[in-house]
């Protein structure tokens, strides 16, 4: 059994009046959740609280898929609540969580993430970010349009590309990590890593043995760094990995090498044996390849090349194979020819069915989805797909008072190609978001220094969710 111990801390920070972050430590289920809410009035608090509650209640059996599903259920709950209460309109939240789940070779730690709260793993004194931020700045960073230094102080680093509560469905990132004694997992809201460098975080996690003390110290340092946002930190330490470290060390000693960069390992799908300090990091188990020592029985080894027609240990070809081979060599008789004709007919019918279903789905979506674009120099909502689909043109639903000139360049480009949304209420919420951006940001994308709106709005898509802004945001 994997044994964990955890500590946590949260603080409103030095500027905000409300703490919109939430956290849950469900030690009996080995489940830990952090959420960072956003939205006007009480929206952010409500969204983040609903997220952690729902993930706890709906986590179900211990598996990565159940954890992802719990986050999707939380998304739906927040989306519906936001739609039914005008005071909560536009609320949303990030969510990240970890949980111990059974794996094929013992316990694993499953992690999930939506938004820009982060999950780090400190292993062998190295801090590895397991989650990936869903933010505009992260996208620019990945595209090579920004350096890490520029990203850290970018005025739009609060704009999320994914969050809970914005659309009816949400894509949830996740993966699993094999835990080893001494590993420390850190879940935190952006109020921590925007104020304390990763070196600073690493040093605290190394220095303070007690997870609760480490969490308190991280929050203290974030406040010292400015405390411009709410700060939430959960530190989870692997106290006992059920003898896995010892076994891994022994296996490693037997098979020296196989150590790769830890950075590659942070993606679950990454192939190969990635390890930090010789131990696997994410998703994949590094199985040492045992040298094959047993003797292969002589009768299992063909004495030489085996040709078709020779009696050999090769399996008999099945009937289909035999008939197709015969067809190739002529000898087509009527029976086979009839079978062939039937096969062609069945195949053609199947292809036609697929075409009908696909065309039907395209027509349905062309008639039942929405997008936000421009009509002249005003933002407008259309029903349909940008540019139309087949013979179905989009229909103008409404033209708003939001002018093209009020929006930053990146949003103009998004709207130029049409921001697609799954429902009319999602489109309406997106308009709320655009209004907030138009108010909070000047046309050059930098914050209007006269606004002090603590409220925020969220919306889906490429540049979708803006956080509560403060006038103290640094400019590059
Ligand atoms: Mg925050």
């Amino acid at each position: 059994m994997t044994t964990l111990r955890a500590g946590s801390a949260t603080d409103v920070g030095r500027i905000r009046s409300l703490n919109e972050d939430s956290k849950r430590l469900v030690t009996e289920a080995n489940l830990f959740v952090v959420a960072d809410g956003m939205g006007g009035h009480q929206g952010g608090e409500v969204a983040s609280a609903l997220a952690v509650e729902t993930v706890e209640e709906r986590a179900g059996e211990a598996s990565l898929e159940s954890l992802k599903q719990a986050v999707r259920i939380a998304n739906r709950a927040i989306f519906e609540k936001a739609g039914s209460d005008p005071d909560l309109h536009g609320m949303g939240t990030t969510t990240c969580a970890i949980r111990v789940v059974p794996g094929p070779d013992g316990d694993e730690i499953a992690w999930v993430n939506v938004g820009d709260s982060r999950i780090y793993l400190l292993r062998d004194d190295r801090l590895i970010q397991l989650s990936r931020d869903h933010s505009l700045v992260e996208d620019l960073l990945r595209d090579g349009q920004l350096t890490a230094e520029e990203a850290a102080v970018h005025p739009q680093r609060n704009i999320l590309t994914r969050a809970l509560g914005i659309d009816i469905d949400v894509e949830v990132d996740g993966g699993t990590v094999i835990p080893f004694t001494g590993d420390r997992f850190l879940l935190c809201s952006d109020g921590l890593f925007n104020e304390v460098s990763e070196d600073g975080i690493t040093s605290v996690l190394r220095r303070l043995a007690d997870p609760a003390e480490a969490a308190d110290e991280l929050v203290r340092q974030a406040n010292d760094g400015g405390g411009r946002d709410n700060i939430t930190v959960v530190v989870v330490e692997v106290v006992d990995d059920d003898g896995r470290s010892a076994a891994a060390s022994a296996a490693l000693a037997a098979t020296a090498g196989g150590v790769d960069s830890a950075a590659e390992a942070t993606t679950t799908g990454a192939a190969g044996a990635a390890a930090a300090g010789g131990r696997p990091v994410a998703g994949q188990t590094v199985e040492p390849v045992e040298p094959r020592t047993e003797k292969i029985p002589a009768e299992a080894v063909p004495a030489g090349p085996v040709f078709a027609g020779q009696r050999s240990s090769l399996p008999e070809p099945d009937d289909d194979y035999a008939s197709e081979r015969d067809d190739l060599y002529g000898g087509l008789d009527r029976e086979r020819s009839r079978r062939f004709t039937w096969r062609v007919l069945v195949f053609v019918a199947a292809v036609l069915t697929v075409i009908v279903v696909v065309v039907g789905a395209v027509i349905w979506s062309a008639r039942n989805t929405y997008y936000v674009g421009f009509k002249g120099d005003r933002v407008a909502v259309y029903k349909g797909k940008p540019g139309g689909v087949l013979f179905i043109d989009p229909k103008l639903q409404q033209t708003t008072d939001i002018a093209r000139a009020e929006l930053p360049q990146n949003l103009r480009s998004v709207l130029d190609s049409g921001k697609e949304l799954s429902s009319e209420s999602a489109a309406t919420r997106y308009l709320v978001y655009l209004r907030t951006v138009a108010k909070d940001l000047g046309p050059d994308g930098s914050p209007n220094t006269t606004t002090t709106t603590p409220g925020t709005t969220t919306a889906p898509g490429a540049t979708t969710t803006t956080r509560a802004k403060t006038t103290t945001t640094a400019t590059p």
Side-chain angles (χ1 to χ4, degrees), residues 25-36:
L25 286 75
V26 193
T27 45
E28 63 278 13
N30 281 325
L31 169 67
F32 305 89
V33 195
V34 164
D36 176 354

Side-chain angles (χ1 to χ4, degrees), residues 73-402:
I73 294 170
N75 172 66
R76 186 69 68 96
I78 297 162
F79 180 77
E80 280 166 7
K81 195 162 187 141
S84 63
D85 183 342
D87 277 351
L88 302 176
H89 222 62
M91 73 173 174
T93 184
T94 71
T95 297
C96 65
I98 63 170
R99 185 177 192 185
V100 175
V101 301
D105 300 305
D107 285 342
E108 296 177 351
I109 304 280
W111 62 267
V112 292
N113 174 54
V114 174
D116 71 348
S117 294
R118 288 186 184 169
I119 303 170
Y120 288 100
L121 165 61
L122 182 84
R123 172 171 291 175
D124 298 330
D125 286 348
R126 290 173 62 193
L127 194 68
I128 302 157
Q129 189 181 334
L130 296 178
S131 58
R132 184 187 132 190
D133 297 350
H134 302 129
S135 66
L136 177 66
V137 163
E138 174 72 15
D139 289 353
L140 295 174
L141 193 61
R142 284 185 175 253
D143 283 355
Q145 294 181 45
L146 284 181
T147 64
E149 293 70 33
E150 288 167 336
V153 294
H154 197 279
Q156 283 173 293
R157 66 181 185 277
N158 307 348
I159 294 185
L160 299 187
T161 53
R162 227 192 274 175
L164 301 197
I166 307 314
D167 209 342
I168 195 151
D169 287 315
V170 72
E171 190 187 342
V172 183
D173 285 359
T176 54
V177 182
I178 293 177
F180 289 93
T181 300
D183 282 351
R184 295 190 127 187
F185 292 84
L186 168 68
L187 287 75
C188 60
S189 60
D190 62 341
L192 175 68
F193 57 80
N194 280 335
E195 305 292 10
V196 185
S197 69
E198 292 193 347
D199 284 349
I201 294 172
T202 307
S203 137
V204 171
L205 288 176
R206 275 183 196 157
R207 190 160 48 84
L208 294 174
D210 179 28
E213 271 177 41
D216 285 340
E217 175 62 12
L218 287 171
V219 166
R220 197 190 61 74
Q221 290 199 7
N223 273 324
D224 281 357
R228 280 160 282 200
D229 195 358
N230 307 144
I231 310 142
T232 298
V233 174
V234 175
V235 178
V236 181
E237 181 176 313
V238 180
V239 181
D240 182 1
D241 64 7
D242 209 14
R244 188 181 254 146
S245 290
S249 302
L252 194 73
T255 60
V259 178
D260 238 314
S261 98
E264 284 170 40
T266 56
T267 314
T268 307
R279 296 184 304 188
V281 170
Q284 57 295 96
T285 326
V286 183
E287 288 291 351
V289 179
E290 291 290 334
R292 192 164 177 168
T293 50
E294 77 275 25
K295 279 234 159 65
I296 300 168
E299 61 271 24
V301 184
V306 179
F307 298 101
Q310 266 181 340
R311 281 280 158 230
S312 73
S313 57
L314 286 179
E316 284 294 317
D318 61 26
D319 283 347
D320 274 359
Y321 172 77
S323 75
E324 277 160 22
R325 185 192 56 194
D326 287 349
D327 285 352
L328 278 179
Y329 291 104
L332 279 172
D333 60 22
R334 200 162 288 165
E335 181 60 28
R336 283 193 184 123
S337 153
R338 209 175 291 137
R339 259 168 66 195
F340 180 71
T341 311
W342 274 110
R343 277 187 199 172
V344 169
L345 279 176
V346 168
F347 176 74
V348 169
V351 168
L352 284 176
T353 309
V354 168
I355 289 171
V356 167
V357 168
V358 167
V359 169
V362 167
I363 291 174
W364 186 91
S365 85
R367 289 204 163 122
N368 292 283
T369 56
Y370 291 77
Y371 75 90
V372 177
F374 287 112
K375 167 133 177 79
D377 68 342
R378 297 279 153 184
V379 172
V381 180
Y382 294 85
K383 190 171 188 183
K385 292 267 177 201
V389 176
L390 301 176
F391 49 91
I392 305 163
D393 289 329
K395 286 204 185 91
L396 180 66
Q397 299 291 111
Q398 62 160 304
T399 309
T400 70
D401 56 356
I402 309 167

